[in-house]
Amino acid sequence: MTTHVKRAFKYRFYPTDAQAAELSRTFGCVRKVYNMALAARTEAWVLRAERVNYNATSAMLTEWKKTEELAYLSEVSSVPLQQALRHLQAAFTGFFARRAGYPRFKSRKKSRRSAEYTTSAFRFRDGRLTLAKMAEPLAVVWSRPLPEGAEPSTVTVSQDAAGRWFVSLLCEDPAVRPLPQTDMVVGIDAGLEHLLTLSTGEKIANPRHERRDRARLAKAQRALARKAKGNGANRAKARRKVARIHARIADRRRDVLQKVTTRLVRENQTLVIEDLSVRNMLKNGSLARAISDASWREFRSMLEYKARWYGREVIAVDRWFPSSKLCSVCGALQVRMPVNVRTWTCGSCGTTHDRDVNAARNLKAAGLAVSACGAGVRPQREPSRTGQSATKQEALQREL
């Protein structure tokens, strides 16, 4: 029996005033329950060295609803509140397994406004989605069809900082299945002048979405800074304007990355990338904005989950591998590679290289070696280096 991949299908919707009020109350209650449960679990561990699990917090929720102070928790659907406790349990599981940091409290202003409904708290029939505590279905814009016969297992409703409402339906997608095997292997070098350079010689342009809207964004941010701080309507309007510009930038960036990663995964069996430490590179103040705009971390995430979907392989070569200084023809290692050198000639074999294409070809070769022997590519680190490769950062600085 074929196991289908579960996939989230996200749509925009336009709630009525009553629905918006109900969802806003639900978001607030979800945040309240999550924070109270986190506080209770933290206190139990710090004071009594006692671990509190999901069942205990669920019992706490029942008692909270009986109090006069928290009686309003009973006015919204109980399912999103229980789901918030399950998410907290998952966060603690990740923390104790050392996969994530300690769970954080949710802020009213900064945290994502969302609520998750399971099958008992929504009805989906004939393309009409109705949530618990609501008499009318949501006015969803079905911008693309759901898989034929799809039955959502969960529905997540959210509102972004720009005030837009979204609903995400988690369904099994029979269309997502392993693609036919191919012999194609590609090395991918990330950059700023070009978003990606492939070992085939192809260079994918960097759209620089944030730079294109930088003037509009700066103007909107100055207008926001001039508004009196507080909960005034004018400040809220100015804040939404800034958020809409950020949302526009993020939407365009995500659209480009989705198309690029889908094409690469469909065309190649093995994809080799460099294991860049993006978090460390963002500490470089002069590079942080451009690196964030390129969104390498999101690119890698998309590439990896699509590779799992379609039966492909992603190999990450160690970041210390000297891909730029190594001749992809004869293997000679150049002692120095100044940042202003974009093309260079190997002193051993006389081959002239494009710096980025050569790096991508070396990544491809290293990835094939990893795939063949199962060993990582980890050459001796230079003693003076303690963080992300300085050469890579300097090269990126030159591209700017």
Side-chain angles (χ1 to χ4, degrees):
M1 181 178 179
T2 303
T3 301
H4 295 148
V5 170
K6 283 201 169 184
R7 184 178 180 182
F9 291 82
K10 190 174 182 180
Y11 304 91
R12 192 168 178 183
F13 75 97
Y14 297 86
T16 64
D17 291 342
Q19 289 172 340
E22 176 64 28
L23 289 172
S24 295
R25 283 196 298 270
T26 303
F27 295 159
C29 291
V30 165
R31 183 180 64 252
K32 180 70 173 180
V33 167
Y34 185 96
N35 287 343
M36 291 179 64
L38 175 55
R41 294 182 68 147
T42 301
E43 179 181 348
W45 177 253
V46 172
L47 299 183
R48 302 185 296 276
E50 175 187 349
R51 286 194 180 185
V52 178
N53 58 20
Y54 163 77
N55 292 330
T57 54
S58 182
M60 291 179 187
L61 175 59
T62 302
E63 296 302 317
W64 292 336
K65 290 181 179 180
K66 295 178 181 178
T67 65
E68 182 178 353
E69 182 183 2
L70 300 173
Y72 62 86
L73 294 177
S74 300
E75 298 175 2
V76 302
S77 172
S78 62
V79 172
L81 307 185
Q82 294 289 347
Q83 289 300 100
L85 298 179
R86 290 189 175 93
H87 293 163
L88 179 61
Q89 177 64 36
F92 270 104
T93 300
F95 168 71
F96 287 121
R98 298 187 177 183
R99 296 192 303 267
Y102 193 80
R104 298 180 180 181
F105 290 95
K106 293 184 180 293
S107 165
R108 183 175 65 85
K109 292 184 178 180
K110 296 182 180 180
S111 297
R112 181 171 180 256
R113 291 164 54 84
S114 66
E116 185 177 272
Y117 296 78
T118 57
T119 51
S120 62
F122 68 86
R123 183 173 66 254
F124 182 70
R125 293 176 185 170
D126 302 324
R128 294 163 66 87
L129 177 65
T130 307
L131 302 179
K133 300 285 186 177
M134 295 186 186
E136 300 178 2
L138 300 179
V140 181
V141 179
W142 300 105
S143 53
R144 56 175 172 165
L146 287 172
E148 186 175 353
E151 292 293 335
S153 57
T154 62
V155 169
T156 302
V157 181
S158 61
Q159 185 185 28
D160 66 7
R164 303 179 300 178
W165 295 85
F166 295 95
V167 59
S168 181
L169 292 80
L170 186 65
C171 311
E172 285 191 351
D173 188 358
V176 177
R177 60 186 64 183
L179 295 169
Q181 293 278 327
T182 176
D183 295 330
M184 296 299 295
V185 181
V186 66
I188 306 170
D189 181 64
L192 295 180
E193 181 178 358
H194 295 92
L195 182 64
L196 304 171
T197 301
L198 309 184
S199 55
T200 59
E202 178 186 356
K203 295 188 176 183
I204 299 174
N206 185 357
R208 302 181 189 272
H209 300 290
E210 187 272 341
R211 178 177 290 185
R212 287 168 54 188
D213 276 349
R214 188 172 296 175
R216 289 181 57 200
L217 180 60
K219 181 179 179 180
Q221 288 173 330
R222 286 195 298 268
L224 173 60
R226 288 194 294 266
K227 299 295 186 290
K229 293 185 178 180
N231 298 321
N234 287 339
R235 185 172 178 81
K237 183 178 178 180
R239 186 186 299 114
R240 281 195 300 271
K241 187 170 183 179
V242 172
R244 281 196 296 269
I245 298 174
H246 277 299
R248 172 185 170 88
I249 294 171
D251 288 347
R252 290 202 308 248
R253 181 187 298 129
R254 193 177 302 111
D255 180 65
V256 169
L257 291 178
Q258 289 283 8
K259 292 174 180 175
V260 169
T261 52
T262 297
R263 178 172 73 86
L264 291 174
V265 168
R266 288 187 182 278
E267 293 177 354
N268 301 279
Q269 182 65 35
T270 304
L271 305 101
V272 187
I273 59 177
E274 189 175 2
D275 186 21
L276 296 174
S277 179
V278 178
R279 176 178 296 180
N280 288 341
M281 297 179 77
L282 289 174
K283 295 176 182 178
N284 185 325
S286 59
L287 287 174
R289 173 179 277 184
I291 293 174
S292 296
D293 195 23
S295 199
W296 295 335
R297 185 178 298 170
E298 188 172 7
F299 165 76
R300 177 172 176 173
S301 175
M302 289 183 182
L303 204 65
E304 289 176 338
Y305 79 70
K306 290 180 182 180
R308 289 193 297 269
W309 283 0
Y310 298 112
R312 303 312 201 196
E313 181 183 18
V314 174
I315 297 176
V317 175
D318 187 83
R319 67 183 65 114
W320 297 96
F321 178 67
S323 57
S324 295
K325 297 192 292 184
L326 195 66
C327 176
S328 58
V329 175
C330 68
L333 181 64
Q334 306 302 305
V335 178
R336 293 184 65 256
M337 182 65 64
V339 296
N340 61 328
V341 174
R342 308 312 302 169
T343 60
W344 58 278
T345 301
C346 177
S348 298
C349 65
T351 304
T352 300
H353 296 288
D354 177 288
R355 183 188 186 116
D356 297 331
V357 175
N358 177 67
R361 289 173 178 167
N362 282 322
L363 289 173
K364 175 183 175 180
L368 289 173
V370 171
S371 181
C373 66
V377 181
R378 301 184 68 88
Q380 182 66 37
R381 300 186 178 186
E382 298 178 28
S384 61
R385 305 292 173 81
T386 57
Q388 172 64 37
S389 170
T391 302
K392 181 72 172 180
Q393 292 207 33
E394 290 171 0
L396 294 174
Q397 181 76 49
R398 180 71 182 180
E399 290 182 12
L400 288 177

